[in-house]
Amino acid sequence: MSTSQTAAFVRKDMLPPKDPPTSQAGLVKWLRENLFASWLNTVLTLASLFVIYLLVTHFYPWFRHSVWNANSIAECRTAIAATWGEGATGACWAMLRERWHQFIFGFYPPELYWRPIAVFLGLLLAVAPVLFTQLPRQMLLFSLTYPLLAIWLLWGGSAWPVIMIAAGFGIGYLALRILGDISAILAVVVAIVAPVLFWLFAVGPLDEVLTKVIPLAIEPVASDRFGGFLLAITIGAGGIALSLPLGIILALGRQSNMFLIKSFSVMFIEFIRGVPLITLLFVASLLLNYFLPPGTNFDIILRVMILVTMFAAAYIAEVIRGGLAALPRGQYEAADALGLDYWKAQRLIILPQALKISIPGIVSTFIGMFKDTTLVTFVGLFDPLKGIPDFIRADFNWKGIYWEPFVFVGAIFFILNFSMSRYAMYLERKLKRDHR
Amino acid sequence: MKKSVFLGTLAVAAVSAGVAAAGTLEDVKARGELNCGVNTGLVGFAAPDANGNWSGFDVAVCKAVAAAVLGDPSKVKYVPTTGQTRFTALASGEVDMLARNSTWTFSRDTDLKLDFIGVNYYDGQGFMVRKDLGVTSAKELDGASVCIQTGTTTELNLADFFKANNMTYQPITIDSNAEGEQQYLAGACDAYTTDISGLAATRASYADPENHIILPEVISKEPLGPAVRHGDNQWGDIVSWTLNALIAAEEYGVTSANVDELAKGTDNPEINRLLGVEGELGKMTGLDNDWAVRAIKAGGNYGEIFAATIGEATPIALARGLNAQWTQGGLLYAPPFR
């Protein structure tokens, strides 16, 4: 301050900030740093641009020439030739306009489409409280009852068997509550045995009586009517919901000190991981028929779902085992030092940390499993990627359609899988914040 | 559902897998539905439409059998089977019969324990090439690349044909018809080979059918027929004679339009026996005497079915050729109804 009196010139106000030189700002800087930093970088950039150019010039006309209004591929071709000249090729989306419902629902009776739609909306509602902890916990009650509701809505028929299954779980829960105070082991045994006995012996006669008194039934839909994304999502969602708990149990079993449990888990995991999924699907669709007595009605979707679940569970178990192994020994010892029993220690200390570490692996297993549901085409089910397009092509009107179904089905799979992966990233971020 | 699964698993312990069920006929009647194994989709032979209703040349056989046995051609559950699953599905009892353009061969009939009960379509393997290739005979295909579907008899026939003619070829294996058409159009192979009926349908579906030719050589015999399991001869008889009834009906001029009229009695004793006016033929198979009337009404006689699904009036436009009646120079010859 004191020098200000002798100075010849004193700036009283701040200079306005100047723009940085053009080479150091905005787009130009970004381009220089990211695309043209070195000669190798420049070459790669130009090569990539060329590839993009090739792809766009190759595919853009095909999309641009799309036809939406036609009744057959021949009409599509005529329309494209009329608008764009002879020899032009284009997408014939008219096929989707006529057949989109088969990609979504397969052969599900059209007048009953509201049922799968309701089930799908219900699925969103049921998973919401599981995925987002800020939602009211009461919604979990709906999530618990949802699977049985979905089964009833999708397959239809009498509601009583489904209610009976729910009643069985209710009996188990009651046994656990009432006997839990007396003896923990007794309670667990009764909670398992009582519902099984109930399902085996009481359900049949009870069902008959109740159906006679109050016939509570909606139109049944057989499994062979399922197809397309309805089939993929049914198998995928069922497999995901069942394989996570099974995978956790298998992972814990593999870490167990009890010889029988440990060796069973190891054998199960290694066997399933050592066998291709297609083999298991063939077992589900063909081999089981030889073993089951003739006339047993063992639903094909249920069979496939069970094997897909087992397959995914084996992989999930290994992913979670990685999470368990990553925990420092101190965590286990701390749990022991606190005097927690095995289940409490797992539930309160070990699993929350192990699962958090395993999230990326678990989600990629789920995504892989969801995409693998298209393999059911090999056992004669109508998956959206191959089964549905193949029979649409068997209609002479659409014979010759090839890329359109791939583009359409691929886009839907991308949307579904991308949301799963985004959710996993959200979850990771959220859990990290909690820990800070 | 859960209960039946559990009971089923329990029952596995009690019932050994080899124990034969009651006759297939009783099973079908008790179920009220015929489980018919069909193709997952083959133009003209089996395809579901936008509403999920199946139709086609093979499907018509399923419908006729359902009409004969159950009295209603719509009481069929179509079980789509792939090339890999079709015979196991039949052997394991998942389907009661197979009407899935399957070639009748020695090993399938004996080793796989199937019974082919007749032939509903005489096919043969051929080649399609682009016209500008300048090839007019399959004998000129030495060194060509050939698109061929794996796991079919066509693959073996192709090898036999080239070996017998001392020629070489480069196989381009494909998984499905659609993929084969695409590969062939994209120029991945010089020739596309499959059954002539399939080639005709494929060619007709192209934007430029005039630029492709089907070579005159037919390199194999492909008698396609419905099949049933070994060991249930009554059921085999029913399926076999239902097919024969459709073929005989065409020979005697019985159509879906006039069958009701003729079923009141005609001067021709063979027609009378076929339609159950005379004799007790239906009873001999375990059905009633009107079985053939219902089978014919379901989709018409053989000729009507052919014309409606794959004949010259359809886009596939197959000529009758070998599949004409024996009186017309073809191979269709139903044994006498007596």
Side-chain angles (χ1 to χ4, degrees):
Chain A
M1 283 291 159
S2 58
T3 53
S4 65
Q5 292 162 346
T6 54
F9 169 77
V10 176
R11 182 175 289 286
K12 289 274 169 50
D13 48 356
M14 288 289 283
L15 274 176
K18 267 195 177 164
D19 287 338
T22 44
S23 65
Q24 289 301 317
L27 188 63
V28 176
K29 176 170 183 254
W30 187 87
L31 283 175
R32 276 175 65 119
E33 281 182 358
N34 292 292
L35 296 180
F36 302 100
S38 66
W39 65 267
L40 177 68
N41 207 328
T42 309
V43 169
L44 288 176
T45 302
L46 290 178
S48 312
L49 280 176
F50 183 64
V51 170
I52 292 171
Y53 167 77
L54 279 186
L55 287 176
V56 169
T57 49
H58 200 80
F59 288 111
Y60 177 68
W62 190 74
F63 283 103
R64 190 177 145 87
H65 299 171
S66 295
V67 174
W68 284 94
N69 286 308
N71 293 316
S72 71
I73 188 166
E75 285 182 24
C76 271
R77 284 174 183 148
T78 327
I80 292 167
T83 323
W84 305 98
E86 281 299 320
T89 55
C92 185
W93 302 112
M95 180 269 299
L96 283 183
R97 245 176 82 103
E98 189 187 301
R99 299 294 189 114
W100 65 271
H101 58 283
Q102 289 183 326
F103 278 96
I104 309 290
F105 299 107
F107 297 130
Y108 211 86
E111 67 277 12
L112 300 179
Y113 279 170
W114 63 271
R115 273 158 48 176
I117 293 172
V119 167
F120 184 71
L121 295 178
L123 176 69
L124 298 181
L125 205 60
V127 294
V130 182
L131 298 185
F132 302 103
T133 42
Q134 54 277 58
L135 289 170
R137 294 295 84 192
Q138 288 85 339
M139 282 175 76
L140 279 173
L141 273 178
F142 175 72
S143 310
L144 276 178
T145 49
Y146 170 77
L148 292 170
L149 188 70
I151 290 172
W152 181 56
L153 273 180
L154 282 179
W155 277 274
S158 172
W160 290 116
V162 175
I163 295 175
M164 292 295 156
I165 294 174
F169 285 119
I171 290 175
Y173 179 73
L174 272 183
L176 214 53
R177 283 298 288 269
I178 295 171
L179 297 174
D181 300 336
I182 305 166
S183 152
I185 298 174
L186 183 72
V188 171
V189 170
V190 172
I192 293 171
V193 172
V196 170
L197 286 177
F198 173 75
W199 286 325
L200 272 183
F201 298 109
V203 164
L206 257 179
D207 183 28
E208 255 171 53
V209 172
L210 283 169
T211 310
K212 264 188 208 133
V213 179
I214 319 166
L216 194 63
I218 51 177
E219 193 180 327
V221 179
S223 280
D224 59 324
R225 312 287 284 176
F226 285 57
F229 281 101
L230 173 60
L231 182 70
I233 294 178
T234 305
I235 296 176
I240 287 173
L242 294 172
S243 66
L244 186 60
L246 191 58
I248 293 176
I249 290 173
L250 281 172
L252 292 179
R254 201 173 177 162
Q255 300 264 344
S256 166
N257 294 326
M258 285 183 253
F259 176 74
L260 265 181
I261 292 180
K262 187 186 169 86
S263 41
F264 171 77
S265 306
V266 170
M267 278 192 295
F268 181 89
I269 292 171
E270 294 306 330
F271 172 73
I272 298 278
R273 290 208 309 162
V275 176
L277 179 56
I278 295 216
T279 315
L280 293 179
L281 289 177
F282 277 130
V283 167
S285 95
L286 303 171
L287 211 55
L288 278 181
N289 274 348
Y290 284 111
F291 296 139
L292 296 174
T296 322
N297 183 19
F298 196 169
D299 191 89
I300 177 79
I301 293 184
L302 186 64
R303 277 185 270 170
V304 165
M305 207 190 275
I306 288 172
L307 285 172
V308 165
T309 303
M310 281 163 51
F311 191 79
Y315 280 85
I316 296 265
E318 286 300 277
V319 168
I320 292 176
R321 192 167 69 95
L324 290 174
L327 282 195
R329 235 197 116 57
Q331 296 292 326
Y332 293 87
E333 285 163 358
D336 289 344
L338 283 173
L340 298 176
D341 66 21
Y342 178 78
W343 290 109
K344 271 191 183 144
Q346 297 297 340
R347 191 160 57 86
L348 298 172
I349 296 184
I350 309 299
L351 280 180
Q353 301 182 64
L355 287 179
K356 194 189 90 183
I357 301 172
S358 321
I359 289 171
I362 292 176
V363 172
S364 64
T365 309
F366 283 159
I367 290 178
M369 190 195 87
F370 184 48
K371 290 192 290 187
D372 281 349
T373 58
T374 53
L375 289 177
V376 297
T377 184
F378 292 106
V379 294
L381 291 176
F382 286 111
D383 81 293
L385 193 63
K386 186 165 185 297
I388 300 277
D390 265 2
F391 83 67
I392 290 177
R393 281 185 208 113
D395 181 346
F396 189 82
N397 285 338
W398 303 115
K399 190 173 168 65
I401 289 269
Y402 194 74
W403 296 110
E404 291 85 343
F406 285 119
V407 173
F408 174 66
V409 173
I412 293 191
F413 264 111
F414 178 81
I415 293 170
L416 294 175
N417 288 331
F418 189 64
S419 355
M420 268 198 257
S421 110
R422 295 307 295 188
Y423 170 73
M425 289 172 79
Y426 155 82
L427 195 60
E428 275 175 63
R429 270 201 309 276
K430 191 180 91 149
L431 292 179
K432 217 174 256 163
R433 198 163 60 227
D434 283 350
H435 258 261
R436 218 185 280 159
Chain B
M1 190 165 61
K2 199 158 192 166
K3 183 182 141 240
S4 69
V5 169
F6 193 77
L7 289 180
T9 336
L10 277 185
V12 175
V15 187
S16 83
V19 175
T24 312
L25 176 63
E26 282 76 46
D27 284 353
V28 173
K29 278 184 169 165
R31 202 187 304 131
E33 199 174 45
L34 173 75
N35 290 342
C36 197
V38 292
N39 200 309
T40 47
L42 181 66
V43 173
F45 285 82
D49 66 8
N51 301 318
N53 302 316
W54 288 79
S55 63
F57 190 69
D58 279 339
V59 168
V61 177
C62 301
K63 285 184 176 163
V65 172
V69 175
L70 299 167
D72 185 349
S74 66
K75 294 220 166 116
V76 187
K77 181 181 163 193
Y78 297 99
V79 181
T81 54
T82 65
Q84 287 91 15
T85 61
R86 52 184 166 176
F87 299 128
T88 347
L90 180 60
S92 67
E94 199 185 334
V95 298
D96 304 312
M97 61 176 284
L98 205 60
R100 193 204 173 276
N101 59 301
S102 301
T103 307
W104 185 352
T105 68
F106 184 95
S107 57
R108 284 175 180 176
D109 209 337
T110 55
D111 196 29
L112 288 182
K113 304 244 180 301
L114 309 178
D115 274 342
F116 283 86
I117 52 80
V119 175
N120 67 337
Y121 190 84
Y122 289 93
D123 215 333
Q125 189 178 344
F127 295 94
M128 179 165 66
V129 295
R130 267 175 296 277
K131 210 172 216 168
D132 54 22
L133 199 64
V135 172
T136 52
S137 156
K139 299 265 167 65
E140 299 168 26
L141 284 174
D142 195 8
S145 55
V146 182
C147 278
I148 173 78
Q149 199 171 340
T150 52
T152 60
T153 50
T154 51
E155 196 180 12
L156 310 171
N157 299 332
L158 180 72
D160 287 354
F161 173 77
F162 274 82
K163 200 171 164 197
N165 287 291
N166 218 355
M167 303 192 298
T168 58
Y169 70 102
Q170 187 196 349
I172 311 282
T173 52
I174 50 166
D175 172 58
S176 68
N177 220 344
E179 195 195 333
E181 291 162 13
Q182 201 63 27
Q183 293 279 37
Y184 168 77
L185 273 188
C189 47
D190 302 320
Y192 178 40
T193 180
T194 184
D195 290 347
I196 298 259
S197 64
L199 287 181
T202 296
R203 183 171 171 271
S205 76
Y206 282 165
D208 53 343
E210 64 282 357
N211 291 335
H212 304 269
I213 52 170
I214 295 173
L215 299 177
E217 281 86 354
V218 177
I219 66 166
S220 72
K221 292 183 284 189
E222 305 282 348
L224 310 179
V228 296
R229 268 183 299 280
H230 246 349
D232 187 348
N233 293 8
Q234 188 196 12
W235 177 248
D237 287 344
I238 290 172
V239 180
S240 163
W241 282 95
T242 305
L243 178 61
N244 283 332
L246 298 180
I247 295 172
E250 187 191 15
E251 186 183 343
Y252 302 132
V254 183
T255 66
S256 54
N258 67 11
V259 63
D260 280 332
E261 188 63 31
L262 296 175
K264 288 175 187 151
T266 64
D267 301 336
N268 185 336
E270 179 94 5
I271 295 181
N272 288 347
R273 282 194 297 271
L274 171 67
L275 300 182
V277 185
E278 280 177 33
E280 298 277 300
L281 291 189
K283 296 250 162 69
M284 295 177 195
T285 61
L287 301 173
D288 58 10
N289 268 340
D290 287 335
W291 65 285
V293 176
R294 291 194 302 267
I296 295 165
K297 263 205 238 172
N301 63 34
Y302 183 91
E304 289 176 86
I305 294 172
F306 194 102
T309 53
I310 51 179
E312 273 162 341
T314 66
I316 308 164
L318 291 172
R320 286 294 289 267
L322 289 177
N323 298 292
Q325 292 286 335
W326 63 287
T327 48
Q328 313 278 322
L331 291 176
L332 293 185
Y333 187 99
F337 279 77
R338 182 175 289 281

